[in-house]
Amino acid sequence: MRGEIIAIGSELVSGQSLDTNSYWLSQQLTAHGITVAFHTTLGDVLRDHLVVFRNAVARADVVVMTGGLGPTQDDLTRAALAECAGVSLVEDAESVAAIEAMFARRNRVMSERNRVQALFPAGATPLPNPVGTAPGIWMQVERATIACLPGVPHEMKLMFRDQVVPRLRQRGLVDLVTVHQKINLFGKGESEVEAQAMDLTARGRVPEVGITAHDSTISFRITATACTEAEARLLIEPTAKLIYERFGSLVVGEGTDDVPEAVAAQLAAANATLATAESCTGGVVAQMITAIPGVSRSYLGGVVSYANQAKIDLLAVPRALIESHGAVSPEVAAAMADAVRTRLGADLGLATTGVAGPSGGTPEKPVGLVYLGLSTSKGTQTRRLDIGSDQPRDIIQRRSSKAALNWVRLTLLEKR
Ligand code: AMP
Ligand code: MG
């Protein structure tokens, strides 16, 4: 099956906003076994619509277009489609009622202009829009089955899933479903992980397994295609189980779940609280953990004690300790972790101190050296990280912050 995507809106071609609908729809069509051959983006100009629509209906089996279904003068999709099909526009009574009802629910009066949204090319099927006023259009023109959807991304996505895919399936245009499962690991490098997974990532394996790295997290992406979603999931299951067994505590979560999500979930499950004292990471640990909704029950707060004097004033780290060992030392990391834990009354105190670079490195304490401290009621431990003197400052900060949170995750995992 050949697919084509058309994105309509002058804001998209003028550079005011980015056409994200085509990108999303391409992934969806591809996953459903439709090969997308063309993307066209065009402004709100009638003659351009006609050129693009005529090309599309002559060369594609499935055309999905978004935008131009609003009530204003520049919304031309309905009229252009009718002209392309050589039919007139007719009002659909059910759509008028649905639009009126949508306005009533929002305590607003429907303007006459909105009636335009209930006009359809003769022979088309309206696609009800449960979340907005613009109904979509389903229509056959020449060889092409056409779905017109609103431009608003969340309306478009909902209608594609609920109304377009079942109709494509019914017509036999979609007979495959592709399912992905992403399993995320943290704590080892990509090549190290891959070395332990050569059998999984071998070309031609079913299901297919790919490895990607993002923000120091390594992800396995398992992909299976089958006639139904359930069958595809069944194909994926044994491989997912194998990854869990083989990589054990390196697995932090699935989908978009990364180390901070895992830590937040574990703190909540253990009913434990965390406080942080950061030097070289400058608050990145706090930012990562507070990005998780609902973490206020577990994360008490933290300090960014960047200068030596701040470590002394805010955390009572003894000046002599800093002078004898240096700010970047296991001793200072431990003192910071202890202090923040006791001052905030947390179960766990986590500290970072290191050389984020690009300057300030010495042979003994190179750029990328970071000490972590973790204090609990059972005592205080420290760890040394060598992120690498060739790494940029933001990578050193982010990777060491994630590694710090990962240590909390592993500690809570052991306790269970
Ligand atoms: P329309 O359906 O043309 O009235 O578009 C409504 C709104 O949806 C526009 O103002 C855009 O913000 C958004 N939109 C339209 N087309 C796209 C697209 N292809 N990608 C992302 N957003 C879009
Ligand atoms: Mg528009």
Side-chain angles (χ1 to χ4, degrees):
M1 290 300 152
R2 251 166 99 80
E4 175 148 357
I5 294 167
I6 301 172
I8 300 162
S10 291
E11 75 279 11
L12 306 173
V13 278
S14 67
Q16 261 177 288
S17 54
L18 187 66
D19 164 23
T20 54
N21 288 351
S22 299
Y23 154 81
W24 187 86
L25 283 167
S26 266
Q27 291 181 331
Q28 294 294 314
L29 290 177
T30 304
H32 287 89
I34 295 170
T35 308
V36 178
F38 293 93
H39 277 194
T40 309
T41 310
L42 67 149
D44 302 309
V45 177
L46 188 64
R47 65 172 184 281
D48 294 341
H49 283 57
L50 287 171
V51 171
V52 171
F53 289 11
R54 284 184 177 137
N55 272 327
V57 298
R59 67 190 176 192
D61 304 298
V62 176
V63 178
V64 182
M65 55 178 91
T66 70
L69 291 175
T72 62
Q73 309 248 16
D74 61 8
D75 291 301
L76 303 165
T77 301
R78 277 175 295 270
L81 192 60
E83 192 167 336
C84 175
V87 298
S88 55
L89 283 169
V90 289
E91 191 176 271
D92 175 60
E94 260 180 52
S95 298
V96 177
I99 296 167
E100 274 172 346
M102 169 62 76
F103 275 95
R105 277 201 297 281
R106 294 178 184 176
N107 276 325
R108 282 162 48 203
V109 185
M110 186 184 104
S111 80
E112 248 338 272
R113 272 229 66 87
N114 284 97
R115 268 191 113 83
V116 171
Q117 293 182 293
L119 291 179
F120 294 87
T125 307
L127 298 176
N129 181 345
V131 284
T133 58
I137 305 171
W138 177 258
M139 194 178 183
Q140 185 75 32
V141 181
E142 296 183 26
R143 72 177 267 189
T145 298
I146 302 174
C148 307
L149 301 175
V152 183
H154 80 271
E155 295 180 17
M156 181 280 290
K157 289 178 188 175
L158 197 77
M159 289 176 69
F160 181 82
R161 284 197 186 114
D162 293 352
Q163 300 184 57
V164 176
V165 173
R167 282 179 170 85
L168 290 174
R169 209 177 272 289
Q170 208 174 22
R171 288 214 177 172
L173 293 165
V174 158
D175 47 13
L176 290 178
V177 192
T178 298
V179 173
H180 304 283
Q181 185 173 353
K182 193 164 160 239
I183 303 177
N184 303 319
L185 280 63
F186 183 83
K188 275 190 180 170
E190 190 175 5
S191 52
E192 223 178 325
V193 170
E194 189 162 29
Q196 289 181 49
M198 297 305 267
D199 53 331
L200 300 176
T201 56
R203 267 173 175 269
R205 187 185 185 277
V206 177
E208 191 186 315
V209 180
I211 296 192
T212 55
H214 175 71
D215 205 11
S216 309
T217 295
I218 312 298
S219 302
F220 282 112
R221 189 174 149 95
I222 315 169
T223 305
T225 302
C227 290
T228 65
E229 186 176 330
E231 274 176 57
R233 295 214 177 276
L234 221 58
L235 278 176
I236 285 176
E237 210 177 82
T239 303
K241 194 160 165 261
L242 207 113
I243 291 172
Y244 273 90
E245 281 167 7
R246 194 176 295 178
F247 293 96
S249 65
L250 285 182
V251 176
V252 295
E254 290 195 7
T256 54
D257 284 352
D258 205 328
V259 172
E261 285 81 359
V263 171
Q266 283 183 338
L267 285 167
N271 219 353
T273 53
L274 173 71
T276 52
E278 298 181 64
S279 186
C280 66
T281 54
V284 176
V285 177
Q287 194 280 325
M288 281 183 176
I289 192 74
T290 55
I292 312 302
V295 82
S296 59
R297 56 189 282 214
S298 314
Y299 179 65
L300 302 184
V303 293
V304 178
S305 48
Y306 203 60
N308 288 349
Q309 194 59 46
K311 294 178 181 67
I312 296 164
D313 293 342
L314 297 172
L315 296 167
V317 175
R319 184 182 298 279
L321 198 72
I322 297 174
E323 276 168 5
S324 53
H325 300 284
V328 179
S329 62
E331 290 80 4
V332 170
M336 288 167 67
D338 269 339
V340 83
R341 181 174 77 84
T342 43
R343 288 196 169 200
L344 272 72
D347 299 310
L348 298 117
L350 179 65
T352 62
T353 178
V355 189
S359 59
T362 63
E364 306 84 67
K365 295 184 179 178
V367 167
L369 169 67
V370 178
Y371 286 101
L372 306 179
L374 184 60
S375 164
T376 70
S377 60
K378 297 215 179 71
T380 306
Q381 289 178 289
T382 60
R383 274 194 186 182
R384 178 190 167 117
L385 303 175
D386 289 279
I387 309 288
S389 55
D390 53 336
Q391 295 294 327
R393 186 175 172 84
D394 62 326
I395 297 277
I396 292 170
Q397 289 182 320
R398 290 194 64 81
R399 192 172 299 170
S400 56
S401 295
K402 237 191 212 187
L405 285 173
N406 194 49
W407 192 13
V408 174
R409 180 182 75 85
L410 292 170
T411 304
L412 291 167
L413 209 62
E414 274 168 25
K415 272 202 191 155
R416 279 206 309 207

